[in-house]
Amino acid sequence: RRILGRNLGSHGYRVETAGTGREGLDRDPGFHSDLVLLDLGLPDMSGIEVIAELRARTSTPIIVLSVRETEADKVAALNIGADDYVTKPFGIDELLARVRGALRRAARSTTTEPIFRSGPLTIDLARRRVEVDGVEVHLTPTEYALLAALAADAGSVLTERALLQRVWGADYGS
């Protein structure tokens, strides 16, 4: 954590660290992160639980860093709301590229109209809320990510590869 924090700091990022899942989740509510790097192996709780709690209150990009390399672990993290998954060990250049990519995607999503409407469908992108005819629709994080990706490019044709990469990350789509 310290080495990674120093390395990211030397590349111009302001880094805040937490040693446990609860410590990270209990940060000052006024504190806004641009990105969360999360290890699934936490001493006090499951990283999957942390992702679920974060997703319930923010759309901040989450990149998982983990020694767990099974497909089931990756799919679980991505389905619950992680934006990317990096298996340890990794090179700092790869991580920096993924951080830049996640921040670019997040910046693009905040510069678009925060409310998308099409017929009876309303998507509040800032609050991650979906309604049809005024009735809230509860979606899984993956369902929401797919819907938001389609709404972001409404009127355009998106390939299966483009959707896979937007929702599950750059490693997907082949």
Side-chain angles (χ1 to χ4, degrees):
R1 184 176 62 230
R2 284 188 301 271
I3 291 170
L4 186 57
R6 273 188 246 143
N7 208 317
L8 289 168
S10 73
H11 284 87
Y13 295 100
R14 189 175 127 240
V15 178
E16 299 283 333
T17 64
T20 66
R22 184 53 42 209
E23 182 184 345
L25 289 168
D26 289 345
R27 288 252 184 247
D28 174 14
F31 178 79
H32 172 71
S33 298
D34 293 323
L35 177 84
V36 173
L37 295 176
L38 175 68
D39 194 323
L40 291 183
L42 299 170
D44 62 337
M45 62 193 302
S46 160
I48 298 296
E49 292 173 296
V50 174
I51 295 169
E53 272 197 59
L54 284 171
R55 270 300 156 251
R57 57 185 170 185
T58 183
S59 61
T60 299
I62 301 168
I63 298 176
V64 171
L65 310 175
S66 182
V67 295
R68 299 177 192 172
E69 56 186 24
T70 68
E71 183 178 9
D73 288 324
K74 292 176 185 179
V75 168
L78 293 166
N79 278 341
I80 201 73
D83 296 283
D84 201 352
Y85 195 107
V86 181
T87 305
K88 295 177 188 177
F90 53 83
I92 193 65
D93 289 333
E94 176 188 1
L95 180 62
L96 288 168
R98 289 174 184 263
V99 165
R100 286 189 300 271
L103 292 172
R104 260 193 321 271
R105 287 187 298 277
R108 254 195 331 255
S109 71
T110 59
T111 59
T112 61
E113 178 66 29
I115 305 281
F116 173 85
R117 289 187 178 87
S118 179
L121 174 68
T122 302
I123 306 171
D124 183 337
L125 297 167
R127 294 176 47 216
R128 298 179 61 90
R129 183 181 169 125
V130 177
E131 294 180 356
V132 175
D133 287 327
V135 177
E136 185 172 4
V137 178
H138 296 280
L139 301 174
T140 67
T142 302
E143 291 168 338
Y144 176 82
L146 281 166
L147 185 60
L150 291 168
D153 284 317
S156 300
V157 175
L158 291 174
T159 65
E160 177 183 13
R161 180 185 183 102
L163 279 174
L164 286 170
Q165 289 178 340
R166 282 192 194 178
V167 175
W168 285 278
D171 289 343
Y172 288 83
S174 59

